[in-house]
Amino acid sequence: MDRAYLSLAAPEVDRTSDAEFFGHLASKLPFALDPKQSAAWTYQIAHLRSLAAALPEAHFCLEFLIPRMGRRADLIILNAGIVFVIEYKVGARQFDRSSLDQVYGYGLDLKHFHEQSHNKPIVPILIATHAEPAPAEAVQWEHDRLARPLKSSTDGLVALIQQVSDRYASPAIDPAAWITGRYRPTPTIVEAAQALYRGHEVEEISRSEAGAENLTRTADYVAQAIETAKRDNRKIICFITGVPGSGKTLAGLNLATARQRAHSDEHAVFLSGNGPLVEVLREALTLDALAKKKDAGERSSRASEFRQACAFIQNIHHFRDDALATTTAPIEKVAVFDEAQRAWDREQTSKFMQQKKGQLGFSMSEPEFLLSVMDRHPDWCAIVCLVGGGQEINTGEAGIEEWLRALEKSFPHWQAHIPGTLEHSCQLADHVTAPDLHLATSIRSFRAEKLSDFVGQVIDGDDAAAQRVKADLTNYPLFVTRDLAAARAWLRSQRRGSESAGLLASSNAARIKPHGVFVKARIEPAKWFLAPPEDVRSSDALEDAATEFDVQGLELDWACLCWDANLRRGAGWEKLRFRGTRWETVSDPTSQAYLANAYRVLLTRARQGLVVFVPEGDPADSTRPPGVYDAIYDFLLSCGFTELAAAVQHKSIP
């Protein structure tokens, strides 16, 4: 993996011909050099020569990989101990918000994930080549020495860099050490899907060397198992397990994209029963593909790109329903089932099929039916099941044992590849124990290695244990407040560039409605996660709260969880639901587990920091007793949450 397409010191620029520049750059491209890219490089190379002449001590990196975003920064300049990140918009006549967020995102990526940049000053600069000269700006530094993005014309860049270098010079940077420094990106699942769909390798976007190695071993094992199944005309199923945050969904997306690129005849598909996740990923891939085509000067339509995204990422229930209408084998030979343990049991599936689909007498569980659909292939096929746990929030979720029972009962001719960590009681006719199918390394949030442990102790009601884990969460802010306006202000003050922020609430948090948070008003997940901040439907507008059903499997950078009285303190956690005009106790153990898991999901959605809003209650409203909310608030404090000062100043976003 080449961190930069080309790296050279200022004196080397004059000794390198244009043809040599193009040869080096073009040889690194994973696709053919198009006229638009060629024109951009011509412009940037000419500008590079003037930069090198004026900055004789500088070092330049062209097309520097920004792994989390799956993109390359046009130019990095190391000068006077400062990292300048330059993004050119050739032909642009204005400094638009999305471009500023893009170059700011590059700076954030370096600051957070590139170890050699953690303590270095970083200055992102956007160049719009045909814009009116930007007025002089003072550098605005963040607490971590990342500057807000600056605007510059092509001609004004040298003066801007010299001005910043003269005033903020720092200890010299060793270019070789900086370029080869360890990179540990942590992409969101949306960013990962976009990068993999574009053709990046999983090693480029995986946070740690151990994580990348683990993911690669798993991918290699499954790829070899599929090739063997093809050769021997066998049908196989592989189960991938992992520790929390180990990247099971990333592994599945990596497998599906890799099979699509190298074996298009297999029509590999990523299937999920998580409707919002499917909707968000499809829209994200569509928007990204359109942007990529536009940048390359190619024409495409939204409908065309959306069809391709839909063929790659499908709702498992639509896949199931299509199979009901025919007895022929599906076109897909490789199917990756995300969160396979959430497939429905026989009772739930039969009830749905009879009531909603008119399939009288249907008596199979969802795993058994899905296996029967893929079993229609006369030769070979492969199923990959991604196995999670501890976040079941829907009625009728069967667990992974249902897949194994279906294999034992109806599909003994299938070969099962099972990690040793997957405990079960079934007697399988043909199975292989495969340690490489277990992902043992967490690649979760770069700030919150132990967040899931902390949340687990909170949900278990063990404040002392939570407090001990909290001591290790030194870089992950956890606040609690009684003031929703203060929580919103804090989120706005933290969010930078293309980072995301949003409000969260349990789907039965009915009595936070007096605070303007109405969970019965459903969000549009694709708009909520992907729309720009100025769109009132966006999460960043901080108007609409998403529930556990909207956000499971997805993430925000910063979040506020609005905690209602449906999970309240007594001898332990008490679970209630709001019906009509009053709270009712939830007595069914399964429903109690779903409610606890709803809060578990919501508490683990923020990658960088979380604030919990607990209302004050109202003594005049029997549905909002202050004592109930006080007990919740006090318990969270005892777990290690810190009080958020009411007067949080709003910080403007450039």
Side-chain angles (χ1 to χ4, degrees), residues 272-281 315 317 342 525 549:
S272 175
N274 184 337
L277 176 68
V278 170
E279 182 182 339
V280 170
L281 290 182
N315 189 303
H317 300 135
R342 296 182 62 190
F549 299 113

Side-chain angles (χ1 to χ4, degrees), residues 26-349:
S27 68
K28 305 296 185 182
L29 274 179
F31 45 80
L33 178 62
D34 60 65
K36 185 172 182 178
Q37 182 64 75
S38 179
W41 280 347
T42 298
Y43 188 95
Q44 291 165 26
I45 289 168
H47 191 220
L48 179 64
R49 295 193 184 283
S50 64
L51 291 171
L55 304 168
E57 303 298 321
H59 193 95
F60 303 94
C61 298
L62 284 74
E63 300 290 342
F64 189 87
L65 179 65
I66 305 295
R68 181 182 63 85
M69 302 173 73
R71 299 179 183 274
R72 288 185 179 270
D74 291 332
L75 179 64
I76 301 287
I77 302 176
L78 306 179
N79 189 68
I82 301 170
V83 180
F84 294 92
V85 186
I86 315 299
E87 182 66 17
Y88 292 88
K89 294 301 178 184
V90 178
R93 297 186 178 279
Q94 59 183 0
F95 299 94
D96 62 88
R97 170 64 181 266
S98 62
S99 297
L100 286 166
D101 279 350
Q102 180 183 348
V103 72
Y104 200 14
Y106 292 166
L108 284 163
D109 192 282
L110 289 170
K111 179 59 67 175
H112 288 323
F113 309 123
H114 184 220
E115 288 189 346
Q116 287 289 324
S117 297
H118 287 341
N119 299 314
K120 305 289 190 298
I122 300 176
V123 181
I125 302 175
L126 175 65
I127 296 178
T129 61
H130 287 59
E132 292 293 324
E137 300 178 88
V139 180
Q140 299 180 58
W141 294 102
E142 298 284 358
H143 63 90
D144 53 5
R145 304 180 80 196
L146 170 65
R148 294 300 182 95
L150 300 174
K151 311 179 190 74
S152 175
S153 63
T154 308
D155 293 339
L157 183 61
V158 166
L160 178 59
I161 289 177
Q162 289 175 332
Q163 176 188 344
V164 175
S165 298
D166 289 344
R167 184 169 181 182
Y168 301 105
S170 296
I173 297 173
D174 178 349
W178 187 85
I179 292 167
T180 58
R182 188 164 59 169
Y183 221 127
R184 307 180 69 198
T186 308
T188 66
I189 197 60
V190 171
E191 291 167 337
Q194 290 174 327
L196 293 169
Y197 196 61
R198 271 187 231 121
H200 287 268
E201 301 297 329
V202 71
E203 295 91 334
E204 294 180 318
I205 61 173
S206 175
R207 178 184 176 201
S208 66
E209 287 78 2
E213 181 182 342
N214 202 181
L215 285 164
T216 301
R217 283 202 311 270
T218 301
D220 290 346
Y221 181 92
V222 176
Q224 185 57 53
I226 292 174
E227 291 304 316
T228 302
K230 290 171 70 173
R231 183 193 67 206
D232 298 340
N233 275 343
R234 296 291 308 274
K235 293 170 182 175
I236 65 167
I237 183 169
C238 300
F239 295 91
I240 297 177
T241 59
V243 300
S246 59
K248 294 180 287 293
T249 300
L250 175 58
L253 287 167
N254 177 51
L255 174 66
T257 52
R259 301 307 297 184
Q260 275 207 344
R261 288 199 301 271
H263 308 276
S264 59
D265 58 315
E266 295 175 2
H267 300 282
V269 63
F270 182 88
L271 294 160
S272 175
N274 184 337
L277 176 68
V278 170
E279 182 182 339
V280 170
L281 290 182
R282 282 176 169 178
E283 182 68 9
L285 296 184
T286 300
L287 294 174
D288 195 60
L290 285 170
K292 182 181 177 183
K293 293 285 179 67
K294 181 180 179 181
D295 287 345
E298 300 176 21
R299 299 185 65 181
S300 185
S301 69
R302 190 187 189 286
S304 172
E305 298 299 341
F306 187 68
R307 278 196 302 272
Q308 291 188 49
C310 289
F312 171 54
I313 294 179
Q314 296 183 30
N315 189 303
I316 193 171
H317 300 135
H318 297 165
F319 179 85
R320 175 202 64 199
D321 294 347
D322 287 344
L324 284 171
T326 179
T327 58
T328 59
I331 190 173
E332 296 85 3
K333 300 292 289 264
V334 176
V336 179
F337 291 103
D338 189 31
E339 296 285 354
Q341 79 286 349
R342 296 182 62 190
W344 288 346
D345 58 22
R346 179 179 301 181
E347 180 182 356
Q348 183 71 13
T349 308

Side-chain angles (χ1 to χ4, degrees), residues 359-375:
Q359 299 285 321
L360 301 179
F362 193 94
S363 60
M364 286 189 284
S365 67
E366 198 167 34
E368 186 176 1
F369 178 66
L370 293 170
L371 278 161
S372 74
V373 171
M374 293 298 287
D375 195 52

Side-chain angles (χ1 to χ4, degrees), residues 9 57 105 323 329 343 352 472 564 600:
E57 303 298 321
F352 175 84
D472 293 325
D564 203 7
R600 190 190 312 273

Side-chain angles (χ1 to χ4, degrees), residues 491-562:
L491 293 178
R492 293 188 178 108
S493 75
Q494 299 303 306
R495 183 189 163 276
R496 295 189 285 181
S498 56
E499 292 178 345
S500 58
L503 302 179
L504 305 173
S506 160
S507 57
N508 195 241
R511 299 311 297 142
I512 53 175
K513 183 180 176 182
H515 299 273
V517 180
F518 186 33
V519 294
K520 299 304 180 184
R522 300 303 305 274
I523 67 167
E524 300 176 73
K527 293 287 189 295
W528 198 80
F529 278 100
L530 303 173
E534 59 270 18
D535 189 325
V536 296
R537 298 168 296 180
S538 163
S539 69
D540 297 312
L542 304 181
E543 292 191 10
D544 298 319
T547 72
E548 67 273 20
F549 299 113
D550 300 315
V551 299
Q552 188 172 38
L554 294 159
E555 298 168 301
L556 296 165
D557 285 292
W558 307 92
C560 169
L561 169 57
C562 303

